[in-house]
Amino acid sequence: MMMTLIVVAVVSGALLAGAAWGIYGRLGPRLEGFLIALAGGALILSLVSELIEPAAREVPLHWAMGGVAMGAISFALLDYLIDEVWGGDSGGGLLAAITLDGVPENLALGVALIGAGPMAVAALAGSIFLSNLPEAAGGARDMAKAGRSKGAVMLLWTATAVLLSIAAIVGNVALAGVDPGVLAVIRCFAAGAVVASLATEVFPKAYREDHHLAGIATALGLVLAFLLGELGPG
């Protein structure tokens, strides 16, 4: 449990550090785009190597792929509701959008901590950390520009960090005794949701901010995640 709490604190801390960076520091759009693309590349490899591949060894392949598909479909439907029904620019809609991106990542992290080796956890946690930092910085900056006070923005991101920490802890504690086959499908479901969020929220923003280097940054992130995963046994 101590390892779980430490990992969750580090990953969630990236949200607060990123928000503070976006509000009080300087973050150029090209640097933001580069960092987001780098984080996305790292995260997508970690999802495959630390969640989907191990799950596919536990259950029939069509179960694993079905879990990925259902996760992506679920994210797409919720994302549509936030943007088209609740209004992504409203207070509740904005918090929902932020949380929707983070919950699958942190749930996946919590589930991955169950019986995983230190390097496997480090690869996934490091990728989520890299993803959270620039996303929070850009989001907090945009909120401040929209007229929200800096204190209110930091409070919102603090609440988000708490919610996502709870998601990771629930994923680790509540699912610890679940059948390995069910756990495998849940991992794939979470991975599918994160992949969908990368495709709809992360990579388009990275390309828009820095289209000349977005592809290079994505590949660099993938390489970094691969090297981190190879540092030791999973």
Side-chain angles (χ1 to χ4, degrees):
M1 175 57 72
M2 182 58 66
M3 176 60 69
T4 299
L5 294 176
I6 292 173
V7 171
V8 169
V10 170
V11 170
S12 297
L15 290 174
L16 300 180
W21 182 17
I23 296 172
Y24 302 106
R26 298 187 63 182
L27 180 65
R30 295 191 65 184
L31 175 59
E32 180 185 350
F34 185 91
L35 291 176
I36 290 174
L38 184 144
L43 188 53
I44 202 165
L45 178 68
S46 293
L47 293 173
V48 173
S49 61
E50 311 303 343
L51 293 180
I52 297 176
E53 283 187 348
R57 293 193 291 267
E58 294 284 344
V59 296
L61 185 60
H62 64 277
W63 284 21
M65 296 305 97
V68 173
M70 289 305 299
I73 291 170
S74 298
F75 178 91
L77 289 175
L78 288 172
D79 193 51
Y80 170 80
L81 289 174
I82 290 170
D83 289 340
E84 306 297 334
V85 179
W86 296 330
D89 293 330
S90 67
L94 189 57
L95 179 58
I98 296 167
T99 306
L100 178 61
D101 281 344
V103 164
E105 291 179 359
N106 285 267
L107 177 62
L109 176 62
V111 173
L113 285 166
I114 301 173
M119 286 302 107
V121 173
L124 183 58
S127 299
I128 295 176
F129 181 93
L130 288 175
S131 176
N132 284 350
L133 195 65
E135 285 185 20
R141 183 197 60 198
D142 292 343
M143 290 180 203
K145 283 184 177 180
R148 293 178 174 83
S149 70
K150 293 180 179 180
V153 173
M154 279 303 302
L155 184 60
L156 178 62
W157 281 98
T158 300
T160 303
V162 172
L163 286 173
L164 298 186
S165 297
I166 292 172
I169 294 171
V170 167
N172 180 256
V173 175
L175 300 175
V178 172
D179 180 86
V182 176
L183 203 60
V185 175
I186 292 173
R187 283 178 171 144
C188 289
F189 181 92
V194 177
V195 169
S197 76
L198 290 173
T200 58
E201 305 288 346
V202 175
F203 289 127
K205 180 176 178 62
Y207 181 81
R208 184 169 61 250
E209 300 291 0
D210 189 17
H211 62 278
H212 292 297
L213 293 178
I216 295 174
T218 302
L220 180 59
L222 187 147
V223 169
L224 289 175
F226 178 80
L227 292 176
L228 182 59
E230 291 296 304
L231 287 178

